[in-house]
Amino acid sequence: MTVVDALRGVGFSVEDGELFGLLGPNGAGKTTSIKILTTLLLPTSGSVRVLGFDPVREPNEVRSRVGYVFGGDRGLYDRLSALDNLRYFADVYRVPARQKAKRIAELLELVGLTGRERDRVETYSRGMRQRLHIARGLLHDPQVIFLDEPTIGLDPVGARELRETVAALRDSGKTILLTTHYMFEADELCSRVAVINKGQIVAEGTPRSLKAGVRDRTVIEVVAFNVSDAAPEAVRGLDGVESLAVEAVDQTQVLSVQSAEGAALIQPLLGTLTGAQVTSVTAREPTLEDAYVQLVSEP
Amino acid sequence: MIRAFASGLRVDLLQLIRTPFDMVGMLVWPLVFASIAYLLLGHASGERALFTASLGAAVMIMWGWVILGAGFALDTQREQGTLELVVGAPTPLVVLVSPVMISRAVFGVYGLLLTLLWGRLVFGIPVLIDDWPAFIAAGVGCILAIGTLGLIAASTFVLYRAAFYLGISLQYPVYIACGLILPFSVLPGWLRPISWLLAPTWGFRALREAASAQAPWPDIGMCFGLSVVYIAIAIPCLAVFEHLARDRATLKLA
């Protein structure tokens, strides 16, 4: 049996009323962190506190005070209506009987599902399911909300609506821990972020401070067809290249190169792409995503 | 907690009846079990014996649905991601898992009615219930005892990802140990004490004795007493297996 340390010495704290982002690539340890904080996993070592309670020794104290929402299609009873799902989870999460109907109506309104609450969940779009997830996670009015990649798989409109809901929760004073690998989402919503990679925190601060780490750089984006397998290595070998990310978009490859050299790097860069058909080259200011790429690309 | 239990029971029954395929599939077992029993016994054995065979078939159905249905239900919950949400709730797990078991056992009543109807219509076996109040009490006791026995098994279902297959492995051994497939006269003697620990033994006896008005109350009492014992065993078992599931990360399908 192979033992993998999903997290190694991860440490961060989230202030009351803060929307904190936990960023990282797939498998970095974001969900593992959330599951430990929500009592669903036991850490092998270390200590954790949520609102002063230990999720390992005092799980029920934590469970009654936190809400957990994850992205994707899962986490709902598909054959039941949204109303039946919410009624059940309200009872399971101990919403007082006298408040239940009012609370459900308020949440359906908040997530824009009023009028569709009697439809079976299996007839819902992914965006509607995700909004229902949010409503479910808020039923017991938790002090802390854990949102694990809530916009994953949503269309742009659905994702934007969901971000608006998250922003409204933040503005209402809820403490929120959001995991995502959409950097613009973190930039838009979070007051502070931590970047986790291979089970370790590699950076922590405000989105602005993380971007400041790459402020002296320029990002050159090259869109091309038929980029050879050897080209990325050749690009990395150029003087002044700080990092390189390659992404396949449809039939093309997009090379994002970070460098302090600015536009002066464009000619040598194109020189390494022999045989490729370059369709566009742009130079721009770095974003949080560029800072993130830099952080998770470091060995 | 009562509200959470009642709500869980409602949710599970709603999910069951909203799947026509499952409902039709559930028709098959009672008919097959009852038919085998009638054909083995034959009409020469008398109407009472055939009716008793119907009750045995109904108890087999009840246990089968509890142990297989509940395993399948928990596997489904794991796949659809609701198991994590249920375990992560502030309500004790026993309150949230027991409705799954009890709803399956309640469905056993549906199996019992189907069995009796099939016996009446196809094999001409009359419904011979001499003490209706006791029979109803025996039915309730049987549901509770079998459902709560399933609850002990459910504690392992929370931990292991192949709950359904574990359920299969527990189905026939209990039928045999309780004398529901073969009479005790042909089974090894050491199985008898084991049968005394198992709910289907007493559930079947309670139904049989109530139907023939032969002092059923001790057996009915055993059903309720065993239910209390099973719950007392299931609560710490569920706590231990929940802890192990959190430790081994098996609440979710990877």
Side-chain angles (χ1 to χ4, degrees), chain A residues 35 39-42 55 60 63 70 74-77 79-80 84 88 91-95 97 120 136, chain B residues 3 7-8 10-11 15 18-19 77-81 84-85 87-91 242-243 246 249 252:
Chain A
K35 287 192 175 175
T39 79
L40 294 172
L41 279 181
L42 297 173
N60 282 338
R63 288 168 180 176
F70 46 80
R74 302 164 72 249
L76 295 163
Y77 295 101
R79 291 178 202 160
L80 304 185
D84 282 333
Y88 173 64
D91 289 332
V92 166
Y93 280 81
R94 297 180 174 174
V95 176
R120 287 194 194 183
R136 181 201 48 72
Chain B
R3 220 156 37 88
S7 200
R10 179 175 173 275
V11 160
Q15 291 196 102
R18 286 182 180 173
T19 315
Q77 291 230 29
R78 196 189 307 275
E79 279 170 26
Q80 67 190 12
E84 283 189 313
L85 299 174
V87 171
T91 302
E242 179 202 328
H243 188 88
R246 290 165 63 206
K252 181 190 167 198

Side-chain angles (χ1 to χ4, degrees), chain B residues 110-124:
Chain B
Y110 163 70
L112 172 64
L113 295 175
L114 276 176
T115 307
L116 297 183
L117 194 67
W118 179 254
R120 183 83 190 93
L121 295 178
V122 179
F123 293 88

